[in-house]
Amino acid sequence: MDHRGVTKISTGTTIMAVEFDGGVVLGSDSRVSAGESVVNCFFNKLEPLHDRIYCALSGSAADAQAMVDLINYQMELHSLETEMPPRVLAAATLVKGLSYRHPELSAHLLVAGWDPQNGGQVYVTMGGMLNRQPVSIGGSGSTFIHGYVDSAYKSGMNRDECREFTKNAIALAMVRDGSSGGIIYLVTITKDGVKEEAVIGDDIPKFYDE
């Protein structure tokens, strides 16, 4: 509960984004918690900032959603003024600036997408930092999968390989992290458009004997 007496809903979560030649794949779990209680099992933490630019949310769900709404509005305005699709770096820079100016916002956004200038890109924007990485993970579940990500990631993986890599990493985090769970959301972005998926039931990889 914050200083206003309002309970803060947080996303103890696992988020991930990875570049491939021609686009990016983003992934997340779907569990949202308030304290020790799970308040939503199917919350989609992958939000569009523009047509081919998405972000993955962690931290306070309310703060993250407020940031997304503001950046989404600014990106749409920018696109109308320039009459061109916005660059992924522009969206990441806006997120970085908002995070730096408002440290009271408890939210961390991974920004990823595709643009004609630089293709698929993943940017980390945390505490005013801006850093492009070929693969990035975040949220409480990320602490359990650093070793897997380091060993399984290979430079030059294609779209399908990155999709499986992301799905497996999120599933592994869901097994180990009590704050991550539910189903797996995936978004694949290329010059041809956006594909959104929900991985449920037996399609979620298993890392233990039932």
Side-chain angles (χ1 to χ4, degrees):
M1 187 173 292
D2 66 13
H3 67 282
R4 298 165 296 178
V6 177
T7 300
K8 297 194 73 174
I9 307 299
S10 63
T11 54
T13 187
T14 305
I15 57 174
M16 182 172 177
V18 56
E19 299 179 358
F20 61 89
D21 184 16
V24 294
V25 175
L26 298 91
S28 80
D29 76 311
S30 65
R31 179 176 292 171
V32 178
S33 58
E36 298 181 355
S37 301
V38 177
V39 297
N40 193 333
C41 292
F42 304 107
F43 180 72
N44 190 349
K45 303 169 189 175
L46 307 179
E47 289 275 358
L49 297 176
H50 204 264
D51 292 344
R52 287 178 174 77
I53 306 173
Y54 271 61
C55 64
L57 316 177
S58 67
S60 163
D63 287 353
Q65 192 61 58
M67 291 177 67
V68 168
D69 290 344
L70 180 58
I71 300 301
N72 186 280
Y73 169 77
Q74 293 181 341
M75 294 303 292
E76 190 64 33
L77 186 62
H78 174 73
S79 180
L80 290 172
E81 289 176 344
T82 61
E83 298 182 346
M84 295 178 60
R87 300 175 67 172
V88 182
L89 178 58
T93 301
L94 286 173
V95 172
K96 178 202 73 169
L98 187 62
S99 299
Y100 182 76
R101 291 193 302 273
H102 297 280
E104 72 277 7
L105 293 176
S106 178
H108 170 213
L109 275 59
L110 287 178
V111 178
W114 179 92
D115 62 44
Q117 290 82 11
N118 294 304
Q121 301 148 73
V122 173
Y123 291 97
V124 178
T125 61
M126 189 174 184
M129 176 182 69
L130 179 60
N131 186 27
R132 181 176 176 179
Q133 298 179 344
V135 57
S136 183
I137 55 178
S140 58
S142 66
T143 59
F144 297 93
I145 59 173
H146 278 286
Y148 171 78
V149 170
D150 288 344
S151 64
Y153 174 76
K154 301 293 186 294
S155 178
M157 289 192 298
N158 62 31
R159 174 172 57 187
D160 291 339
E161 290 171 330
C162 285
R163 178 186 174 278
E164 289 301 308
F165 170 53
T166 302
K167 183 173 70 171
N168 288 339
I170 300 295
L172 182 60
M174 288 165 56
V175 171
R176 297 298 183 185
D177 178 32
S179 296
S180 299
I183 65 176
I184 298 173
Y185 286 107
L186 296 173
V187 171
T188 304
I189 307 173
T190 67
K191 66 177 182 179
D192 297 321
V194 176
K195 180 180 181 181
E196 299 182 350
E197 301 176 73
V199 182
I200 63 175
D202 292 338
D203 291 333
I204 297 177
K206 301 294 190 297
F207 293 93
Y208 55 89
D209 294 329
E210 295 184 330

